């Protein structure tokens, strides 16, 4: 049965699920193992269908298999599941929402369609249409520059007021002044931020993080979140510093200097964390190599062994 999420209860660390591929098909065994590895880590939920999960490479059959397995296995380890339903049209998103509901998802995560840049009224109509399809199942808006539109705080507030099932946003790039403005307009909106800004943004009212770094070590992100929630910011600082250095010294150079996308880098972290999801991304995007995994592990051992649980 689905678990109840609300603006009061949606919070914490939600790892992004990677889609393991074998012979160009979803590797169900490895996907099930990936989810099972989060059991007992303290994470607050799991989700599918972001860049990490290569939503853009999923045909209808693959999407349904992923949604069904994610809900079944996530609920089996006692955590709620959000199914990412992002697509290029309202029609396709609504169809994916219906599949996710049939799989007993606990929430729908969706970015706005992005082939053509949406106007404000089109954004609002899209969110209302998706909410209508989802019924009582809550929505989380994935707010990303890749969708070609960054919404103003005023538009976010307008949509949140008209769509009560919109619980929150995944907004990794939000800065502190924008977060304050959003929460000033919609105090109970659940805004989730990036891992390397989690500690300072939780001081401003952020609720948690939809995380790919949790693939490397979920317990560290959970510890960071719990310390911040308890107001123990000084104790959390060393964990924040380790995560921030990982992002700036290892992950960003792989993206900016070597041309990997985050879908590839996220696989590097999960494999380095001991879970075999494979390094292969769907084309035309390049994949990482075992050397990238070795480099990340070596950096952690030398600079931030806590990220490896050491």
């Amino acid at each position: 049965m689905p678990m109840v999420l609300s603006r009061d209860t949606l919070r914490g660390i939600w790892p992004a699920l990677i889609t393991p591929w074998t012979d160009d098909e979803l590797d169900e065994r490895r996907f099930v193992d990936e989810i099972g590895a989060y059991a007992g880590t303290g994470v607050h939920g799991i989700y599918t269908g972001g860049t990490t999960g290569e939503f853009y490479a999923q045909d209808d059959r693959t999407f349904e298999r992923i949604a069904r397995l994610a809900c079944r296995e996530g609920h089996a380890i006692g955590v709620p599941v959000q199914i990412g339903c992002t697509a290029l049209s309202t029609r396709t998103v609504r169809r994916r929402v219906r599949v996710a509901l049939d799989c007993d998802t606990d929430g729908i995560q969706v970015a706005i369609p992005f082939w053509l840049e949406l106007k404000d009224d089109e954004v609002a109509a899209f969110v209302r249409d998706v909410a209508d399809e989802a019924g009582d199942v809550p929505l989380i808006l994935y707010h990303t520059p890749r969708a070609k539109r960054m919404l103003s705080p005023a538009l976010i507030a307008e949509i949140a007021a008209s769509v009560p099932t919109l619980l929150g946003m995944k907004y990794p790039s939000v800065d502190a002044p924008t977060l304050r403005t959003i929460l000033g307009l919609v105090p109970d909106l659940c805004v989730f931020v990036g891992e390397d800004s989690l500690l300072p943004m939780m001081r401003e009212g952020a609720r948690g993080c939809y995380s790919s770094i949790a693939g490397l070590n979920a317990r560290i992100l959970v510890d960071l979140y719990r310390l911040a929630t308890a107001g123990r910011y000084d104790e959390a600082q060393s964990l924040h510093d380790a995560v921030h250095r990982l992002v700036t010294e290892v992950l960003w150079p792989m993206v900016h200097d070597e041309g990997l996308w985050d879908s590839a880098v996220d696989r590097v972290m999960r494999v380095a964390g001991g879970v075999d999801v494979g390094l292969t991304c769907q084309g035309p995007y390049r994949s990482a190599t075992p050397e990238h995994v070795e480099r990340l592990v070596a950096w952690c051992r030398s600079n931030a062994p806590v990220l490896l649980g050491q």
Side-chain angles (χ1 to χ4, degrees):
M1 293 292 293
M3 303 180 185
V4 177
L5 298 174
S6 68
R7 290 188 183 177
D8 291 329
T9 63
L10 179 59
R11 60 185 68 248
I13 303 300
W14 289 65
L17 294 179
I18 290 168
T19 304
W21 305 105
T22 297
D23 297 329
D24 208 36
E25 293 288 338
L26 171 68
D27 188 319
E28 294 191 0
R29 179 192 60 79
R30 289 197 294 172
F31 189 58
V32 168
D33 290 346
E34 176 193 2
I35 296 169
Y38 284 115
T41 61
V43 299
H44 300 78
I46 55 176
Y47 74 102
T48 72
T51 306
T52 300
E54 297 179 281
F55 76 89
Y56 43 80
Q58 298 174 19
D59 56 24
D60 290 344
R61 176 172 171 270
T62 303
F63 172 84
E64 181 169 358
R65 292 166 68 197
I66 287 171
R68 203 162 296 283
L69 287 171
C71 290
R72 186 189 77 190
E73 299 299 321
H75 293 158
I77 64 172
V79 298
V81 180
Q82 293 173 21
I83 299 299
C85 294
T86 300
L88 291 179
S89 70
T90 302
R91 172 178 176 267
T92 308
V93 171
R94 293 186 77 142
R95 183 185 302 157
R96 291 193 164 191
V97 168
R98 289 195 292 271
V99 171
L101 296 179
D102 186 64
C103 296
D104 285 337
T105 186
D106 305 293
I108 301 295
Q109 188 175 127
V110 64
I112 62 174
F114 51 85
W115 183 250
L116 302 173
E117 183 176 330
L118 300 186
K119 312 298 191 294
D120 283 2
D121 61 322
E122 293 171 325
V123 173
F126 168 75
V127 177
R128 288 194 299 268
D129 286 344
V130 176
D132 178 66
E133 191 68 57
D136 293 334
V137 174
L139 305 184
I140 294 84
L141 181 64
Y142 182 7
H143 195 213
T144 169
R146 288 176 174 158
K148 297 181 180 174
R149 273 300 314 273
M150 297 307 289
L151 312 184
S152 70
L155 181 56
I156 292 167
E158 176 189 327
I159 294 171
S162 65
V163 182
T165 55
L166 177 65
L167 302 189
M169 309 173 67
K170 176 186 176 184
Y171 193 170
S173 62
V174 69
D175 57 29
T178 303
L179 179 60
R180 290 189 210 110
T181 302
I182 292 171
L183 295 180
L185 295 169
V186 194
D188 61 347
L189 194 68
C190 307
V191 181
F192 285 65
V193 298
E195 296 99 334
D196 60 332
S197 64
L198 180 60
L199 180 59
M201 290 303 177
M202 285 192 67
R203 291 175 180 260
E204 304 290 344
R207 292 288 192 92
C209 178
Y210 291 105
S211 175
S212 57
I213 294 179
L216 176 63
N217 188 333
R219 287 182 173 87
I220 289 300
L221 270 297
V222 171
D223 287 347
L224 174 54
Y225 168 80
R226 287 175 174 168
L227 288 169
T229 300
R232 296 160 61 183
Y233 300 116
D234 290 344
E235 294 176 64
Q237 189 66 48
S238 63
L239 297 181
H240 166 79
D241 291 344
V243 170
H244 185 73
R245 287 190 63 194
L246 174 70
V247 171
T248 58
E249 297 180 23
V250 182
L251 305 183
W252 275 115
M254 287 183 183
V255 172
H256 291 290
D257 300 339
E258 300 181 53
L260 297 180
W261 287 107
D262 29 338
S263 51
V265 171
D266 296 346
R267 290 177 181 275
V268 170
M269 287 189 285
R270 196 69 174 126
V271 172
V275 179
D276 177 22
V277 294
L279 295 174
T280 300
C281 293
Q282 286 293 331
Y285 307 105
R286 61 170 55 97
S287 299
T289 68
E291 189 274 332
H292 290 102
V293 178
E294 294 165 4
R295 190 193 317 166
L296 185 148
V297 170
W299 182 92
C300 288
R301 285 174 176 161
S302 298
N303 298 281
V306 67
L307 295 177
L308 298 177
Q310 300 175 355

